[in-house]
């Protein structure tokens, strides 16, 4: 392929949203088994801003390498432009979407007009939605899927010895904390699809939105402590996670499960005494699971909500919006 250039957003150093620079860079070439995608939209995810900051909270010996300059992003929706040697399952002109190489590569060049991806990381785009909505689905949808439906891989979590095994959701009392966010609003819908009775936890302004997605109960965390409002749950998916996730242990029945998306500190002896399971997993790229999610979107079973869309050149503004928090659904960059 002759050398061409494209618009992309790059980091030349770490810091706040101001370090994101819109500039011309070479178009990548697909390697063996890879697809070149003409990107129409790129989804934003927490790893994007962690990488932008250089992951300062991670000990240096555990910090993954981020060679600069770096084009951030993992989630794309677009059109197949070319196939590398041995790439199968797609043809030029196909509309596709995917989460690229994650977590083997934490940032895979999605903030650009073109990106390459292993064909196995891609699926045909849901026909029922545009590229912006499709780009909002991969990482958040796969996170919800691999926590709640099927893990789909045998890789151990770096944070625990126990292997994560999704619990049965049919008839289960499921609580989703952070239900209005990217992972949360999709997890709520997947749990309902599987037959669960779902309690959504979010701020009060999101109640109508979440009930419209199928929430059976709603807890406004700005008015009451959710760990006091809920009892006897079979499963809590805490999409906020972190150190405060332990508070949800008291909401579970014996035999119940707590899944913190961002793993915190737990006491194995305490969990055993309470008779609960606490496990998490690391989301991984999976084109076959994205194909299943696409079928649910096309059937109207799952809806992708967008908090906002921004042109590629305005990536800084999108990251500034993310920093303000309280998102309803996903943030997406659109690419002309």
């Amino acid at each position: 392929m002759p050398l061409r250039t494209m618009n992309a957003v790059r980091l030349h150093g770490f810091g706040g949203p101001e370090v994101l620079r819109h500039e011309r860079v070479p178009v990548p070439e697909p390697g063996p088994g890879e697809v070149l995608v003409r990107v129409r939209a790129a989804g934003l995810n927490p790893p994007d801003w962690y990488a932008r900051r250089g992951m300062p909270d991670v000990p240096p010996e555990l910090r993954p390498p981020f060679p600069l300059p770096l084009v951030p992003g993992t989630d794309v929706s677009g059109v197949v432009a070319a196939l590398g040697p041995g790439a199968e399952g797609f043809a030029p002109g196909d509309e596709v979407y995917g989460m690229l190489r994650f977590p083997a590569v934490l940032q895979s060049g999605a903030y650009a007009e073109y990106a390459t991806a292993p064909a196995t990381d891609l699926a045909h785009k849901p026909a029922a939605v545009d590229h912006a909505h499709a780009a909002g689905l991969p990482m958040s949808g796969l996170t919800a899927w691999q926590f709640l439906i099927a893990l789909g891989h045998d890789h151990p979590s770096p944070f625990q010895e126990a292997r994560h095994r999704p619990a049965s959701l049919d008839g289960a009392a499921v609580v989703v904390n952070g239900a209005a966010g990217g992972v949360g609003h999709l997890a709520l819908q997947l749990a309902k699809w599987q037959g669960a009775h779902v309690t959504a936890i979010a701020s009060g302004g999101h109640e109508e939105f979440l009930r419209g997605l199928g929430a059976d109960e709603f807890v406004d965390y700005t008015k009451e402590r959710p760990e006091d409002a809920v009892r006897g749950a079979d499963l809590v998916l805490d999409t906020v996670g972190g150190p405060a996730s332990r508070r949800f242990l008291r909401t579970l029945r014996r035999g119940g499960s707590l899944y913190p998306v961002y793993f915190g500190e737990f006491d194995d002896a305490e969990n055993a005494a309470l008779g609960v399971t606490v496990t998490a997993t690391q989301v991984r790229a999976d084109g076959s699971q994205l194909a299943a999610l696409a079928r649910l979107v096309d059937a109207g079973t799952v809806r992708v909500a967008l908090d906002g869309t921004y042109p590629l050149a305005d990536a800084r503004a999108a990251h500034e919006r993310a920093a303000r928090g309280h998102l309803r659904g996903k943030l997406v960059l659109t690419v002309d």
Side-chain angles (χ1 to χ4, degrees), residues 53-181:
R53 296 196 299 260
M55 302 185 76
D57 297 331
V58 176
E61 65 273 14
L62 299 177
R63 195 177 302 156
F66 290 112
L68 298 175
L70 168 71
V71 178
T74 61
D75 286 9
V76 301
S77 182
V79 179
V80 173
L83 301 176
E88 298 180 348
F90 303 100
D94 285 353
E95 293 189 317
V96 296
Y97 80 124
M99 179 177 75
L100 315 184
R101 300 185 180 86
F102 196 87
V105 178
L106 295 186
Q107 297 291 286
S108 296
Y111 292 14
E113 291 182 306
Y114 289 89
T116 60
T120 53
D121 289 356
L122 298 172
H124 289 95
K125 182 185 79 67
V129 298
D130 59 19
H131 286 292
H133 285 81
L137 185 57
M139 181 173 285
S140 292
L142 286 175
T143 299
W145 189 278
Q146 291 172 16
F147 268 87
L148 296 180
I149 308 300
L151 191 56
H153 61 79
D154 293 320
H155 294 274
S157 168
F159 305 110
Q160 66 194 24
E161 292 185 8
R163 184 174 184 269
H164 180 75
R165 290 180 172 83
S168 173
L169 300 179
D170 188 15
V174 173
V175 178
V176 179
N177 184 42

Side-chain angles (χ1 to χ4, degrees), residues 85-297:
E88 298 180 348
F90 303 100
D94 285 353
E95 293 189 317
V96 296
Y97 80 124
M99 179 177 75
L100 315 184
R101 300 185 180 86
F102 196 87
V105 178
L106 295 186
Q107 297 291 286
S108 296
Y111 292 14
E113 291 182 306
Y114 289 89
T116 60
T120 53
D121 289 356
L122 298 172
H124 289 95
K125 182 185 79 67
V129 298
D130 59 19
H131 286 292
H133 285 81
L137 185 57
M139 181 173 285
S140 292
L142 286 175
T143 299
W145 189 278
Q146 291 172 16
F147 268 87
L148 296 180
I149 308 300
L151 191 56
H153 61 79
D154 293 320
H155 294 274
S157 168
F159 305 110
Q160 66 194 24
E161 292 185 8
R163 184 174 184 269
H164 180 75
R165 290 180 172 83
S168 173
L169 300 179
D170 188 15
V174 173
V175 178
V176 179
N177 184 42
V183 174
H185 85 287
L186 296 169
L188 185 165
Q189 296 173 79
L190 289 178
K192 288 298 297 180
W193 168 59
Q194 289 290 291
H197 181 94
V198 179
T199 297
I201 300 173
S203 60
H206 296 305
E207 180 172 4
E208 183 179 355
F209 164 64
L210 293 171
R211 288 194 181 275
L213 294 180
D216 300 287
E217 312 290 342
F218 179 81
V219 176
D220 180 353
Y221 72 83
T222 69
K223 294 183 177 179
E224 56 183 332
R225 288 154 52 105
E227 62 269 31
D228 296 332
V230 178
R231 285 293 182 272
D234 295 297
L235 169 64
V236 175
L237 177 70
D238 183 6
T239 73
V240 179
S245 191
R246 193 168 175 174
R247 63 187 170 140
F248 286 106
L249 291 172
R250 72 177 74 174
T251 71
L252 292 162
R253 64 165 180 81
R254 291 191 69 83
S257 299
L258 171 58
Y259 299 160
V261 172
Y262 300 100
F263 209 75
E265 295 181 1
F266 293 89
D267 186 311
D268 289 341
E270 178 185 25
N271 298 343
L274 292 171
V276 302
T277 298
V278 180
T279 58
T281 188
Q282 171 64 69
V283 65
R284 291 184 174 272
D286 190 311
S288 64
Q289 291 179 344
L290 285 176
L293 280 164
R295 289 191 290 271
L296 292 177
V297 171

Side-chain angles (χ1 to χ4, degrees), residues 7-77:
N7 291 314
V9 172
R10 287 205 295 186
L11 305 175
H12 293 263
F14 300 117
E18 71 280 357
V19 302
L20 296 168
R21 292 168 52 178
H22 186 252
E23 55 193 17
R24 300 292 294 182
V25 304
V27 173
E29 294 189 24
E34 292 186 341
V35 174
L36 178 67
V37 178
R38 173 61 166 97
V39 179
R40 295 300 184 187
L44 274 65
N45 295 288
D48 301 5
W49 34 95
Y50 300 159
R52 189 202 71 225
R53 296 196 299 260
M55 302 185 76
D57 297 331
V58 176
E61 65 273 14
L62 299 177
R63 195 177 302 156
F66 290 112
L68 298 175
L70 168 71
V71 178
T74 61
D75 286 9
V76 301
S77 182

Side-chain angles (χ1 to χ4, degrees), residues 300-321:
T301 304
V302 169
R303 291 161 42 200
V304 183
L306 299 185
D307 184 271
T309 61
Y310 296 78
L312 179 66
D314 290 342
R316 173 177 174 174
H319 275 237
E320 290 170 344
R321 169 67 188 97

